[in-house]
Amino acid sequence: MKKLLHVVLGVVTSIGGFVEVGSISTSAQAGASFRFRLVWSLAVATVCLMFLIEMSGRLAAVSKHTLADAVRERFGVNFDVIPLSAEAVLDVLVLAAELGGVAIALHLMTGVPARWLVLPAAIAVWLLLWLGTFGMIENGLGLLGLVTLAFVVAAFRLGLPWREVGAGLVPSLPADHRASYGFMAVSILGATISPYMLNFYASGAVEEKWKESDLPMNRITAGIGMGFGSVVSFGVLAVAALTLQPAGIQVDGYEQAALTLVPAFGRWGVPVFAAALAVGCFGAALEVAVNLAFAMAQAFGWNWDKNQKPAEDARFSLVYTLAILIAVAPILAGVDPLRLTLVSMAITVMVLPFVVMPFLVLMNDEHYVGRHRNGRLGNAVVAFVVVMGFVLALVAVPLEIMGS
Amino acid sequence: MDLVRDVLDKQVRDRQGRKMGKVDGIVLELREDAPPRVAFLEIGPMTLARRLAPWLGRLAQAIEIGLDVGDGCPLRLTLAQAREIGIEVIVDIDAERTRAWAWEQWLGRNVIARIPGSGARS
């Protein structure tokens, strides 16, 4: 039973972290513009994420410390201000984008303007955290998350061209729109490898008191959980490739993305899309908000427990409350959630090296992980993410800011 | 023991394992004819802020005094109170008898308790 809960944690982290506004929109854009030519980017990002999630679980199980804990302790506060403030800014931006995503989903269902629907979305997120029921509904969220499999079902109904999918696993430059192709490849990486997932997952592991004997389970959880997320992302890409690309429709808003399920599900297409978007974004919003509180509490050594009454961990509760209040503002002011998503993915890519680099040191420090240090492969993957982050930040972010 | 590597910024827990904060600063006592020794380990936002920039430390102190959270002094522990120093520092005291949770309690009373559903006893 406990083992099952482990895997549930992985799948929940994955639904909240993988199947969210950033991944859905980038996957849809990638499929609509380049069919299956960017499948490799999704595959590379997924493998990197599996490795990073496994490491963050291993760090938690062996040292009983999360990434945010350990970075403060190992590198000191003068270093930690950089990743910590970067993560704070990023988390609030991502939270705004996710709340915007929920609002759009509600808009698709009701027709009420999205900017007003952000309020009920934000209140619901806050209430679940405030009343201490997030822990209870976490597993329910995992079940609800199965609705996102609708994309995969739709892809199969439409008939996947397996040969083309296979060819997409090898990077190949298209004849034209090369800049946009490179930019999409970057966006997929940025949307997939979300820093908040690492700390959220580790915090769950510490709360559940994982031990060294849980390490094999951790490996399976990271694999299955992130695998689940990537299959859904692939489903989004595939339905966009199969429905929008032949019609020459580009995705520049959620209205187009919502059409992707219509050929497979008819009049249920748009409601199913809205439900999947709502569940994914809502889960992500909960995770990001609580993760910011985790990160602050762990960096400063406060009590943290998402199931305690707010009166018992005042500082922790205050952090997520403020984060939600701030995140609501841009959406209420009328900022386009899709635009916010793009900006937050660009910032993710910039922040990534600062979050992941300390990881490389910690996962090789026997004070923290004892004999469970990283092997060469694990180190190579982390190093790859760091280098990629730097290159992407230098090349892609200016493009993203100018181009989009 | 390497003070900066092994003690500074480590998690501090009390004897019941409750989190008191991190070692935000270390105060050394300089002695004539003898090597310096550790006078105190400090915990508190003021000490932490001062390490980032002196003016931030003064600001944190002014806020703490202004809001009547504390008297403007950080919590000080001695090395002798430390029961164990590993990747965490375990001290042989009760957190609630110290000012470790001054901010926690102040925010709980003045902010959190005023929001419905916080679970605070009024």
Side-chain angles (χ1 to χ4, degrees):
Chain A
M1 186 59 202
K2 192 170 165 249
K3 298 224 160 124
L4 190 68
L5 275 178
H6 271 204
V7 182
V8 168
L9 174 67
V11 175
V12 167
T13 307
S14 163
I15 290 165
F18 221 121
V19 190
E20 41 80 57
V21 65
S23 293
I24 292 182
S25 56
T26 41
S27 298
Q29 284 176 326
S33 304
F34 298 103
R35 284 183 70 92
F36 295 95
R37 277 174 175 254
L38 283 163
V39 170
W40 63 270
S41 173
L42 188 58
V44 169
T46 305
V47 171
C48 290
L49 188 62
M50 281 176 179
F51 269 87
L52 291 173
I53 287 282
E54 187 277 331
M55 284 176 211
S56 104
R58 178 151 42 100
L59 178 70
V62 181
S63 73
K64 319 286 180 252
H65 286 220
T66 67
L67 188 57
D69 261 327
V71 171
R72 161 79 199 270
E73 292 168 10
R74 179 68 173 69
F75 298 93
V77 73
N78 290 301
F79 172 83
D80 196 23
V81 281
I82 305 168
L84 191 64
S85 37
E87 186 151 0
V89 171
L90 185 62
D91 279 358
V92 171
L93 269 175
V94 174
L95 179 57
E98 303 302 342
L99 290 174
V102 181
I104 286 169
L106 296 175
H107 163 73
L108 290 172
M109 293 176 198
T110 62
V112 177
R115 59 192 282 195
W116 299 118
L117 291 168
V118 75
L119 281 175
I123 291 172
V125 168
W126 179 77
L127 273 179
L128 284 178
L129 294 174
W130 188 258
L131 299 176
T133 36
F134 178 39
M136 276 185 258
I137 68 139
E138 224 170 351
N139 300 340
L141 208 62
L143 275 180
L144 279 178
L146 294 178
V147 69
T148 58
L149 282 173
F151 290 106
V152 184
V153 174
F156 275 98
R157 274 195 166 189
L158 297 169
L160 277 170
W162 287 108
R163 192 183 290 263
E164 199 186 338
V165 174
L169 283 171
V170 182
S172 60
L173 268 179
D176 43 8
H177 301 297
R178 290 185 169 179
S180 154
Y181 177 82
F183 168 67
M184 282 311 309
V186 167
S187 302
I188 290 177
L189 292 165
T192 307
I193 309 175
S194 318
Y196 71 87
M197 294 173 73
L198 302 180
N199 206 57
F200 181 83
Y201 183 79
S203 303
V206 170
E207 275 191 324
E208 314 238 323
K209 300 193 168 42
W210 287 14
K211 297 182 293 292
E212 284 181 39
S213 57
D214 292 316
L215 287 177
M217 210 57 212
N218 171 48
R219 205 168 289 166
I220 296 170
T221 308
I224 293 182
M226 301 309 117
F228 176 87
S230 75
V231 166
V232 175
S233 282
F234 170 75
V236 177
L237 184 146
V239 290
L242 296 172
T243 59
L244 300 182
Q245 198 272 344
I249 302 173
Q250 302 272 321
V251 176
D252 32 4
Y254 288 94
E255 286 73 16
Q256 294 92 3
L259 297 177
T260 53
L261 293 181
V262 173
F265 298 126
R267 65 193 178 89
W268 287 102
V270 174
V272 170
F273 176 87
L277 185 69
V279 169
C281 295
F282 193 77
L286 278 168
E287 260 180 40
V288 183
V290 86
N291 178 61
L292 182 59
F294 278 152
M296 291 292 162
Q298 291 156 2
F300 297 121
W302 309 337
N303 285 317
W304 53 273
D305 182 344
K306 62 179 181 301
N307 297 318
Q308 251 173 1
K309 290 266 166 237
E312 284 154 21
D313 43 10
R315 292 175 289 192
F316 177 87
S317 315
L318 204 61
V319 172
Y320 65 70
T321 304
L322 288 177
I324 293 171
L325 277 176
I326 299 170
V328 166
I331 309 286
L332 270 184
V335 176
D336 174 23
L338 192 60
R339 172 106 197 126
L340 256 182
T341 308
L342 288 175
V343 173
S344 66
M345 279 185 305
I347 297 182
T348 298
V349 169
M350 283 194 277
V351 167
L352 212 50
F354 295 100
V355 176
V356 174
M357 212 157 32
F359 222 3
L360 194 58
V361 178
L362 286 167
M363 295 313 293
N364 288 285
D365 183 338
E366 56 187 23
H367 291 287
Y368 281 89
V369 282
R371 57 190 183 83
H372 299 286
R373 278 177 296 179
N374 265 2
R376 280 198 196 143
L377 184 60
N379 282 336
V381 170
V382 183
F384 169 75
V385 174
V386 171
V387 171
M388 183 189 74
F390 272 121
V391 173
L392 295 186
L394 287 176
V395 179
V397 170
L399 262 180
E400 184 148 355
I401 289 166
M402 290 182 316
S404 67
Chain B
M1 185 166 58
D2 182 334
L3 282 176
V4 172
R5 194 195 61 198
D6 298 332
V7 182
L8 193 60
D9 290 306
K10 294 290 178 282
Q11 178 72 48
V12 182
R13 289 179 188 268
D14 76 350
R15 60 162 75 106
Q16 292 182 48
R18 294 174 300 187
K19 290 184 174 143
M20 296 177 66
K22 306 252 175 180
V23 179
D24 292 319
I26 296 175
V27 181
L28 294 180
E29 180 191 354
L30 297 174
R31 299 177 296 174
E32 274 183 35
D33 311 324
R37 70 174 170 208
V38 176
F40 304 107
L41 306 180
E42 289 192 345
I43 302 177
M46 276 171 282
T47 310
L48 188 66
R50 197 170 56 230
R51 270 172 68 201
L52 294 174
W55 66 270
L56 268 177
R58 286 192 296 274
L59 179 68
Q61 190 175 33
I63 294 174
E64 197 162 312
I65 296 172
L67 293 174
D68 199 21
V69 179
D71 57 5
C73 300
L75 167 63
R76 289 184 151 177
L77 306 168
T78 62
L79 263 191
Q81 289 171 309
R83 183 193 283 177
E84 187 190 318
I85 297 180
I87 56 173
E88 297 189 331
V89 176
I90 318 288
V91 290
D92 200 9
I93 48 179
D94 272 324
E96 63 219 352
R97 296 179 179 216
T98 69
R99 65 185 85 183
W101 294 335
W103 269 106
E104 179 81 41
Q105 288 157 349
W106 189 90
L107 288 169
R109 255 192 335 268
N110 294 292
V111 184
I112 300 294
R114 297 186 182 185
I115 309 175
S118 66
R121 275 159 295 180
S122 48

